[in-house]
Amino acid sequence: MSNMKVLPLLEPEVPEAVAPCCPPLTERPFTAEEAETAARMFKALGDPVRLRLFSAVASHEGGEACVCDISDVGVSQPTVSHHLKKLKEAGLLASERRGTWVYYRVEPSVLAAMSKLLTVAPAAA
């Protein structure tokens, strides 16, 4: 007789899609909440090191990067971790720990939301 027990399968966690924070800049004035959200994203990307890290993750093969693969941006590893944390807090990066390493990715919906924000709204006909 076997001691094996059949366990139910767990559905993989699907991260929530990131909804666009705001309408295109040219569509209408932002509400105070929309301005806060957009400012948080732009502030996070306003630092050259953070912008390089964001670009490194976004352009990395496979769409994600191990922190060990993106640390060569001219600052120490603790500083890299600090900047990655700020990008994550701004909602620009998602992360997953695998063993001792953390892997970062830019969700496609984040890029789509940022792109929509900077899109020129079509002129009214």
Side-chain angles (χ1 to χ4, degrees):
M1 180 167 220
S2 172
N3 288 337
M4 293 181 61
K5 183 169 35 171
V6 176
L7 297 175
L9 294 175
L10 297 176
E11 294 296 320
E13 287 187 32
V14 178
E16 292 182 26
V18 177
C21 75
C22 320
L25 288 169
T26 57
E27 185 176 297
R28 63 169 173 76
F30 282 175
T31 64
E33 184 179 324
E34 290 168 340
E36 287 289 328
T37 302
R40 194 175 318 114
M41 286 190 321
F42 286 120
K43 183 177 180 182
L45 291 174
D47 182 284
V49 172
R50 288 186 198 148
L51 189 55
R52 287 185 66 200
L53 287 168
F54 185 75
S55 174
V57 172
S59 64
H60 201 269
E61 186 177 335
E64 68 177 10
C66 174
V67 70
C68 60
D69 294 331
I70 56 174
S71 60
D72 187 22
V73 291
V75 295
S76 67
Q77 183 57 46
T79 303
V80 167
S81 294
H82 166 77
H83 286 302
L84 289 170
K85 177 183 174 188
K86 291 296 185 184
L87 289 167
K88 188 175 174 186
E89 287 172 352
L92 298 171
L93 293 180
S95 67
E96 178 183 355
R97 179 172 292 282
R98 297 181 197 155
T100 59
W101 296 110
V102 177
Y103 287 78
Y104 290 89
R105 69 186 166 283
V106 178
E107 297 293 340
S109 57
V110 170
L111 292 176
M114 291 175 66
S115 176
K116 183 179 180 198
L117 176 69
L118 297 174
T119 300
V120 176

